[in-house]
Amino acid sequence: KTPKGIETLNNILSAAAQIIYEKGYHGANIGDITKLAGVATGTFYVYFDSKISLYRYMLLQFGHSIRRELSIKTKHCRTRREIERTGLIAWLEYVQAHPYVYNIIWESLYVDRALFTEYYETFSKAYVEGLKQAQQSGELIEADLEALAYALMGISNFVGLKYCMFSDTQVDFERVADDIMRVLDKGMFTGLVPSSPPPAAQKKQNMNFRVEVDFGFLNKEE
């Protein structure tokens, strides 16, 4: 926990993030990581006993870092609605500043499924606690809070993919958040039920081919 030791650990984590982002978990090796970090291979094993233990630690750090960032950005929000809107913008800004996050987190599904599950389950539990308080104060409708937490996490995840990973142009995160909040406020359905069009007339189809059955193959003498 000395300043030098913490700097070395940060260098290893930073190098690992870059190598795994570029080559994937299975393509990355400890030699590449230590070379980029500027440390000896033996130094790596002072901090981690394997590549998978390093990877687990990174996921824990990412989860903690994201939750801390969202907590800081939403600290002064007075309502759950404010928290959702401000949190979505904070998440988009975080992903924009840390483009390797999606790659490393989602690859855990193929590295160790339990890690992937644990990451999102941990995030969900913290989310549910916040939603529970809002529900108890009357801000939220009665609903399965775990299902709601995953629905909101899904919105954030895929909106982040679209506007931080897929888009090459600058995106107005405020506008995106306002669009999402409008859907959350009013729902996505208008209640209008479109009238069904009359069934299309069935056009008679002509048979263009003819197959005649020949039972001669049953005659064993042939």
Side-chain angles (χ1 to χ4, degrees):
K1 294 184 178 180
T2 64
K4 183 177 171 63
I6 293 173
E7 181 183 4
T8 299
L9 175 59
N10 287 339
N11 287 342
I12 292 172
L13 292 173
S14 299
Q18 182 171 329
I19 296 295
I20 295 174
Y21 173 66
E22 293 174 350
K23 298 184 177 183
Y25 174 82
H26 295 291
N29 62 64
I30 292 173
D32 289 337
I33 293 170
T34 54
K35 182 178 179 182
L36 183 60
V39 301
T41 303
T43 303
F44 175 92
Y45 290 103
V46 171
Y47 296 87
F48 303 102
D49 60 11
S50 62
K51 184 172 70 170
I52 190 65
S53 67
L54 163 64
Y55 188 71
R56 289 193 186 103
Y57 188 79
M58 289 176 68
L59 289 177
L60 287 172
Q61 283 293 307
F62 288 166
H64 173 70
S65 174
I66 292 167
R67 288 192 296 274
R68 182 184 60 193
E69 181 73 8
L70 297 183
S71 177
I72 291 171
K73 292 290 179 66
T74 60
K75 183 178 179 180
H76 299 293
C77 293
R78 295 172 300 161
T79 65
R80 189 67 213 182
R81 186 187 188 283
E82 280 187 78
I83 291 174
E84 292 300 328
R85 183 183 183 280
T86 304
L88 176 57
I89 295 171
W91 163 248
L92 294 174
E93 291 172 344
Y94 184 92
V95 174
Q96 191 176 60
H98 305 82
Y100 50 80
V101 165
Y102 272 108
N103 296 60
I104 294 175
I105 292 175
W106 284 27
E107 191 177 7
S108 64
L109 176 61
Y110 307 102
V111 174
D112 183 342
R113 188 186 182 95
L115 286 178
F116 185 79
T117 302
E118 182 183 7
Y119 178 88
Y120 280 106
E121 285 286 89
T122 300
F123 213 103
S124 169
K125 286 174 183 175
Y127 213 142
V128 165
E129 287 305 309
L131 294 175
K132 187 182 297 181
Q133 293 176 21
Q135 193 177 66
Q136 290 171 348
S137 68
E139 287 186 79
L140 293 181
I141 62 171
E142 286 296 323
D144 182 330
L145 294 183
E146 187 174 49
L148 181 57
Y150 268 94
L152 293 169
M153 287 161 56
I155 289 172
S156 295
N157 255 320
F158 283 93
V159 168
L161 274 178
K162 168 59 181 173
Y163 294 110
C164 297
M165 304 295 286
F166 300 164
S167 298
D168 296 326
T169 57
Q170 186 65 33
V171 177
D172 182 353
F173 293 156
E174 296 273 347
R175 179 194 62 76
V176 172
D178 284 339
D179 283 342
I180 297 299
M181 295 312 298
R182 185 163 61 251
V183 173
L184 294 180
D185 283 335
K186 299 181 178 180
M188 62 183 285
F189 297 107
T190 64
L192 176 66
V193 179
S195 57
S196 302
Q202 295 292 322
K203 183 179 179 182
K204 185 177 179 181
Q205 184 176 358
N206 294 324
M207 188 159 37
N208 297 321
F209 303 99
R210 183 70 179 170
V211 177
E212 298 286 349
V213 176
D214 181 358
F215 291 104
F217 69 92
L218 295 176
N219 188 341
K220 295 181 180 180
E221 295 181 0
E222 289 188 5

